[in-house]
Amino acid sequence: MSGSTETNLVFSALADKSRRQIVELLHTKDSSIVELTQSFDMSFQAISKHVRILENAAILKKRKQGKFMICSLNHQALTDSLKWISYYSNFWNESFNKLEGLIKKQKND
Amino acid sequence: MSGSTETNLVFSALADKSRRQIVELLHTKDSSIVELTQSFDMSFQAISKHVRILENAAILKKRKQGKFMICSLNHQALTDSLKWISYYSNFWNESFNKLEGLIKKQKND
DNA sequence: ACATCATTAAACTATATGGTTGAATAATTA
DNA sequence: TAATTATTCAACCATATAGTTTAATGATGT
């Protein structure tokens, strides 16, 4: 229940702030590793390692384009973690309760 | 954007499988640390440390009850991480697209 | 008062992690 | 062909992390 190996990889990958930042960058635009590096105060090789970790968690895919490796997000890899957190954050309960509250309030107006 | 210190604490806390398991246990029932320990093949003190980490991330709260420390979930602490993952997993886009697909299909029937 | 139980604190260990640098490879450009 | 650029790989280092054991603290029950 606390998750498959893949879910574990995703949670571990997202634990690092720099890697979350890479996800954010890729969400706006597919990028090569050099491109990504420009947003960080860190060596190219360090970013390359982070990219590798995200790749192992299937959060991003690389495709070769000439001498570049273009990285792009694989949103689907995040859904298991999303489900886990949704469930244990009681998200739907809370939201439905709020909705119910709104409805009651409306009736009383 | 990649998150405040608190969000960072939550992501880090959730990176560990044992800690996610603690969250799962607490979701079914508030428990003391000894109680939690029974579900693990690990020393009491190790679990105590994990509990501390979850507490620092505000994912759980402790209240003293005699000689026990009863742990209970604070679901709200998870919502920032939930939002982050929801956003970058394209969850809502995907879901609305599926919904749209269903609607179109229905019209054609 | 005393033994027990739940917890915390502290010291320690092994391994994982996040970073570095330097060298090897492969595509691009001059 | 030679120089440059993007990437990967490997060796290395410092620190963080996850676990252990032992000792200290504090409430409970006898």
Side-chain angles (χ1 to χ4, degrees):
Chain A
M1 190 60 173
S2 55
S4 60
T5 314
E6 300 89 56
T7 316
N8 206 28
L9 284 174
V10 171
F11 273 114
S12 302
L14 295 183
D16 186 90
K17 199 163 191 164
S18 305
R19 287 195 290 266
R20 290 200 302 281
Q21 227 170 310
I22 290 176
V23 169
E24 293 167 14
L25 290 166
L26 293 180
H27 187 257
T28 72
K29 164 174 167 301
D30 292 0
S31 314
S32 69
I33 304 180
V34 234
E35 268 182 299
L36 291 172
T37 303
Q38 291 159 8
S39 301
F40 294 87
D41 183 24
M42 206 184 291
S43 75
F44 169 79
Q45 291 93 325
I47 299 297
S48 179
K49 275 190 179 185
H50 283 306
V51 163
R52 161 76 60 111
I53 289 167
L54 289 165
E55 189 187 19
N56 284 340
I59 296 174
L60 64 77
K61 286 171 296 186
K62 289 191 244 179
R63 63 173 186 279
K64 192 154 197 171
Q65 195 167 97
K67 63 177 167 178
F68 298 94
M69 286 300 254
I70 306 293
C71 306
S72 57
L73 283 186
N74 172 28
H75 303 95
Q76 223 207 310
L78 296 176
T79 56
D80 278 347
S81 305
L82 177 63
K83 282 179 194 168
W84 193 93
I85 300 192
S86 299
Y87 187 72
Y88 293 104
S89 70
N90 263 1
F91 177 72
W92 292 107
N93 282 344
E94 302 285 333
S95 300
F96 282 132
N97 286 344
K98 278 181 192 158
L99 187 58
E100 195 178 36
L102 274 176
I103 291 169
K104 274 189 185 154
K105 189 168 172 291
Q106 197 126 60
K107 276 188 182 166
N108 295 338
D109 281 352
Chain B
M1 192 57 173
S2 55
S4 59
T5 315
E6 300 88 57
T7 316
N8 207 29
L9 284 173
V10 171
F11 273 115
S12 302
L14 295 182
D16 186 272
K17 199 162 190 164
S18 304
R19 288 195 289 267
R20 290 201 303 280
Q21 226 170 311
I22 292 176
V23 169
E24 292 168 12
L25 289 167
L26 293 179
H27 187 257
T28 71
K29 164 173 167 302
D30 292 0
S31 315
S32 69
I33 304 177
V34 233
E35 269 181 299
L36 290 172
T37 304
Q38 292 161 8
S39 302
F40 294 87
D41 183 25
M42 207 184 291
S43 74
F44 169 78
Q45 292 91 327
I47 299 298
S48 178
K49 276 191 179 183
H50 282 307
V51 164
R52 162 75 62 110
I53 288 167
L54 289 165
E55 189 187 17
N56 284 339
I59 296 175
L60 63 79
K61 286 170 298 189
K62 289 191 243 180
R63 63 175 186 277
K64 193 156 196 170
Q65 194 167 97
K67 62 178 169 181
F68 299 94
M69 287 300 256
I70 306 294
C71 306
S72 58
L73 281 186
N74 172 28
H75 303 95
Q76 224 205 311
L78 298 175
T79 56
D80 278 349
S81 304
L82 176 64
K83 281 179 194 168
W84 193 94
I85 300 190
S86 298
Y87 187 73
Y88 293 105
S89 70
N90 263 0
F91 176 72
W92 292 106
N93 281 345
E94 302 285 335
S95 301
F96 283 132
N97 286 344
K98 279 180 194 161
L99 187 58
E100 195 177 37
L102 274 177
I103 291 169
K104 274 190 188 157
K105 190 167 171 293
Q106 196 125 60
K107 278 190 182 166
N108 294 340
D109 281 353

